[in-house]
Amino acid sequence: MQCWSGRSPPPAPAPSKGAPIGRAAQPEEIAEVVAFLASERASFMVGTVVMADGGMTVTAG
């Protein structure tokens, strides 16, 4: 797969067994978050950061 710059993207990091969810996200899971944020259902959300990271942000310390 080529990214817009013409270079291959870096390899995805291996899933961390220490991650709260215990696995990497499936592309469809991230796509659902993006689709929601782009939809009218998210029309009242303003200036919000949505972390779709399997809980890594909450446990980072």
Side-chain angles (χ1 to χ4, degrees):
M1 175 171 64
Q2 297 283 319
C3 65
W4 64 269
S5 67
R7 294 178 293 189
S8 295
S16 171
K17 291 182 180 176
I21 201 165
R23 63 178 179 80
Q26 296 298 309
E28 296 83 10
E29 293 172 309
I30 302 302
E32 287 181 23
V33 175
V34 172
F36 167 73
L37 293 172
S39 76
E40 285 296 316
R41 295 181 299 158
S43 64
F44 204 69
M45 294 178 71
V46 178
T48 303
V49 176
V50 178
M51 303 302 294
D53 64 0
M56 287 301 294
T57 305
V58 176
T59 61

